[in-house]
Amino acid sequence: MADLSSLIDLMSDRADVLRELGYRVRFDLTDTDESILLDATGPVVDIAEGSGEADAILKLSTDTLEKLITGRIGPMLAFSTGRLRVDGSQGVALKLAGLLDS
């Protein structure tokens, strides 16, 4: 199981792709009760621990998030198998899914 800092590092490695998102997304980690806030609204992508306001909230385990970031599971498969739940804007979640698949 990946820890919070390693997940943030993995996401930061993809910051150039995530910059295209243009929204704020919060990842609520169901197995650790921690959250990661991805803010791609400015010129620099900010990825940090936090539970602030977001356009979309993704609820998933640390293992599922690690697999999504590294491409070992697709976002649609994670959603359809119940490993990923989405609150807020479905459109933002779909845009993020497209960026993670690239």
Side-chain angles (χ1 to χ4, degrees):
M1 174 172 77
D3 64 8
L4 190 68
S5 63
S6 64
L7 290 169
I8 291 171
D9 289 344
L10 283 172
M11 291 178 79
S12 296
D13 291 343
R14 309 254 349 242
D16 56 330
V17 172
L18 296 173
R19 183 177 299 117
E20 298 175 33
L21 183 62
Y23 293 96
R24 291 169 52 108
V25 176
R26 190 175 77 217
F27 299 87
D28 287 349
L29 304 173
T30 56
D31 54 338
T32 62
D33 289 327
E34 298 173 303
S35 296
I36 298 172
L37 187 62
L38 163 66
D39 186 349
T41 58
V44 176
V45 175
D46 183 32
I47 304 167
E49 181 177 2
S51 58
E53 291 291 317
D55 299 292
I57 300 167
L58 307 183
K59 297 179 180 185
L60 67 172
S61 70
T62 53
D63 183 55
T64 301
L65 180 55
E66 180 182 31
K67 288 178 180 178
L68 282 172
I69 297 167
T70 59
R72 293 184 298 169
I73 188 173
M76 295 314 225
L77 178 61
F79 182 78
S80 64
T81 58
R83 297 182 199 176
L84 168 66
R85 292 190 328 264
V86 179
D87 289 339
S89 174
Q90 301 287 321
V92 171
L94 285 171
K95 186 171 182 180
L96 176 63
L99 294 174
L100 289 175
D101 272 345
S102 60

